Amino acid sequence: MIVRSFKDIEGTDRHVKAASGTWESKRIVLAKERVGFSLHETVLYAGTETSMWYANHIEAVVCTEGEAELTDHETGKTYSITPGTMYLLDGHERHTLRVKEDFRCICVFNPPVTGREDHDENGVYPLLTEPEEV
């Protein structure tokens, strides 16, 4: 059993800040826990826009605070995301979040991220893995 809080990981290597300066993420469960998913609390900052494409991952997102506009670039549809709303990127959809108020969310990734990922020029997280245990 693992017990930790988001407060416990503030300022550690599990607390990742985007090179773009548009978001930060506290990654409370990572690939090194070897449970098949990772779990994060992410905050995207008000007034920012982040385009993403999880070509290598499935992501579920639940908004817990704030407001953002989500655009699905595969369909052209736009959604208002507010607390209690979930979106699931089960088809590797390219998407953009335009953040109206600081947007706090809980995210689950499969396969799990290692904690070293940041979006590349296409909005993609590389598929990184942890070394096999011997």
Side-chain angles (χ1 to χ4, degrees), residues 11-116:
T12 71
D13 61 350
R14 290 175 178 268
H15 188 182
V16 177
K17 297 182 180 183
S20 65
T22 61
W23 58 265
E24 64 182 274
S25 182
K26 296 174 188 168
R27 297 169 173 182
I28 201 161
V29 177
L30 289 170
K32 62 184 165 187
E33 273 79 55
R34 302 189 185 283
V35 294
F37 64 91
S38 58
L39 178 65
H40 321 166
E41 177 189 64
T42 299
V43 176
L44 294 99
Y45 306 126
T48 64
E49 179 176 312
T50 304
S51 293
M52 297 165 270
W53 176 34
Y54 294 123
N56 302 308
H57 299 85
I58 301 296
E59 182 191 29
V61 178
V62 177
C63 174
T64 60
E65 185 179 317
E67 182 177 1
E69 178 185 271
L70 170 68
T71 300
D72 177 344
H73 294 288
E74 308 305 323
T75 65
K77 288 186 175 178
T78 298
Y79 305 88
S80 176
I81 308 296
T82 56
T85 304
M86 181 280 303
Y87 61 92
L88 175 64
L89 300 164
D90 60 341
H92 307 284
E93 296 88 349
R94 295 173 197 258
H95 61 289
T96 297
L97 270 177
R98 291 176 190 83
V99 182
K100 296 179 178 179
E101 299 173 13
D102 280 356
F103 183 83
R104 184 178 307 274
C105 56
I106 301 296
C107 311
V108 177
F109 279 81
N110 183 348
V113 302
T114 66
R116 302 184 304 273

Side-chain angles (χ1 to χ4, degrees), residues 4-10 26 28 39-41 106:
R4 67 175 62 105
S5 71
F6 289 115
K7 186 167 182 56
D8 291 341
I9 62 175
E10 286 179 4
K26 296 174 188 168
I28 201 161
L39 178 65
H40 321 166
E41 177 189 64
I106 301 296

